[in-house]
Amino acid sequence: MDATADDLDTRCPLVLLPGTLCDARVFAPLMERLPPRRISIGDMAGLASTRALAGRLLERAPPVFALIGFSLGAIVALEVAAQVPGRVAGLALIGGNAHAPTAPDVARRRAEIAAVTSVERYVGETMWPSYVADQGDERLRRTLIDMGRDGGHDALRLQTEVALSRADSRPRLGALTMPTLVLAGAADAINDATVQRRLAAAIPAATLVLVPGAGHFVLLERPAACARAVIGWLGSVDDGSAFDEAPLAFTRERS
């Protein structure tokens, strides 16, 4: 269904933040299922800290917007919401984690990334077993490998540093009063259901959705279930927000 100008102007602009070595492909099945609205993909490349990525996003984003972050994108989304909660009309955290990494985790991850000689092999062999619930989904495996190849080694190194240098967001969660969706696969092996329940419990206006039969890449494993959850959340965002219809200056717009 084609959207009118009035439709777009009365729906909060939506900004999407991909995870490590991900791009718009990780959100494509979700976007196909959403009612028309202004949607943009945030730039997660070229910087090595959550604060730097959040600052760049805020320079380019509309005055008020809804924000979805997946995995690493959820970490950056929490930083954005903490810095300027008044600009984030709604927050969705998909496969997210508010904890800071431990010192042993930091050392292990840096050593692991330093040893990577092929990003494709790293994604397809080292990371794949933790990514999805259905290990036999070769089409999804190929999609993740392709995104990793296109992102490249520099993106893997910098985005790993973003994750490893993140702040502990848990003390800030209680101040997040915007409608919030905490969404994850029930079989997520990276940020498991216990992490998701604790995250949702700490945010006053949060709704928790755990999708059965899905792992960390729930957006690609169970897109219809994700879309239902996101559409419900966006309804609450649109009902309660006042936002600007200024064009999104930094990435593609879908209407």
Side-chain angles (χ1 to χ4, degrees), residues 21 25 119-120 123 143-153:
L21 292 177
R25 282 170 282 190
V119 174
E120 292 179 72
V123 172
T143 297
L144 301 187
I145 290 172
D146 289 347
M147 285 195 293
R149 178 201 63 218
D150 294 346
H153 196 276

Side-chain angles (χ1 to χ4, degrees), residues 210-228:
L210 295 175
V211 180
H216 190 62
F217 272 82
V218 61
L219 283 164
L220 298 178
E221 296 174 82
R222 296 290 187 272
C226 290
R228 286 193 296 271

Side-chain angles (χ1 to χ4, degrees), residues 29 105 111 164 192 204 220:
D105 283 342
L164 296 181
D192 65 20
L220 298 178

Side-chain angles (χ1 to χ4, degrees), residues 122-166:
Y122 177 71
V123 172
E125 298 176 5
T126 301
M127 297 304 296
W128 171 252
S130 301
Y131 273 170
V132 303
D134 180 3
Q135 293 291 298
D137 191 339
E138 184 57 30
R139 182 176 179 181
L140 177 53
R141 181 174 177 271
R142 189 69 250 172
T143 297
L144 301 187
I145 290 172
D146 289 347
M147 285 195 293
R149 178 201 63 218
D150 294 346
H153 196 276
D154 283 347
L156 175 61
R157 178 180 56 81
L158 286 172
Q159 290 174 344
T160 298
E161 283 305 311
V162 172
L164 296 181
S165 63
R166 69 186 185 268

Side-chain angles (χ1 to χ4, degrees), residues 33-110:
R33 291 168 169 81
L34 295 183
R37 71 175 59 234
R38 292 183 172 89
I39 300 177
S40 60
I41 310 295
D43 186 356
M44 294 284 288
L47 300 173
S49 75
T50 56
R51 290 189 64 83
L53 286 170
R56 181 172 65 190
L57 183 146
L58 288 166
E59 289 175 356
R60 300 173 176 179
V64 178
F65 55 96
L67 183 60
I68 297 179
F70 165 64
S71 194
L72 181 67
I75 292 171
V76 176
L78 282 170
E79 180 65 29
V80 171
Q83 286 188 22
V84 287
R87 290 182 61 185
V88 180
L91 180 66
L93 307 170
I94 303 179
N97 186 347
H99 293 67
T102 65
D105 283 342
V106 170
R108 177 186 59 80
R109 284 285 289 149
R110 283 182 175 152

